[in-house]
Amino acid sequence: MKKSLFLYLFIIAVVMNVFTYKYFSSKDGVEIQTLSANNKKLNDSITSVTNQLYDANAFSLENNDRAQNYLAQNDIKAFNEKVKQALLAYNDSPEGNKYTDQPKMGEQKYIINKVKLLNHRWIIANYSNGEIWGEVLLKYFVNEDQTISFETMDSYLYPKELN
């Protein structure tokens, strides 16, 4: 009786080990499939975001080889920063930045917040007075003395939102 009890316990232990092995081996396979599917989705998302970023930067001085050749600048990032700082320097005026093409309204002056150089000639910027927002398209020129001059091409002021 003792031998048969040990035999039955041994058979039950073997059967439990077989089922446990099958369970964990199939669980690993499912997890690997899930992880590979998630990895594929993430790679597709990264590719999509990269393509969107490339499309968004299609109109930028950094990605425009012809504009860079026209400027004959070695360091485009330094040039980009120089032009931005030259434009943002006009924000210090008591009347606001004159290149927003908007007069000062009351106590609040219009200042330029963000600037993007589109190519060797154009800039797009947004501006606000803290309540009303707008966008402006500017031409810029590099003078012979290496100063930067600007010309407003068009400006748009968004209507004030009523809440």
Side-chain angles (χ1 to χ4, degrees), residues 115-132:
V115 177
K116 182 172 183 174
L117 276 72
L118 299 176
N119 58 20
H120 64 286
R121 188 62 62 215
W122 299 329
I123 296 174
I124 190 166
N126 75 352
Y127 60 90
S128 76
N129 69 353
E131 292 179 10
I132 303 174

Side-chain angles (χ1 to χ4, degrees), residues 24 39-40 45 58 63:
F24 282 114
N39 192 15
K40 183 173 175 20
S45 296
N63 294 332

Side-chain angles (χ1 to χ4, degrees), residues 43-60:
N43 284 337
D44 291 345
S45 296
I46 289 172
T47 303
S48 173
V49 168
T50 303
N51 290 339
Q52 288 175 354
L53 182 62
Y54 179 76
D55 290 342
N57 284 329
F59 292 103
S60 68

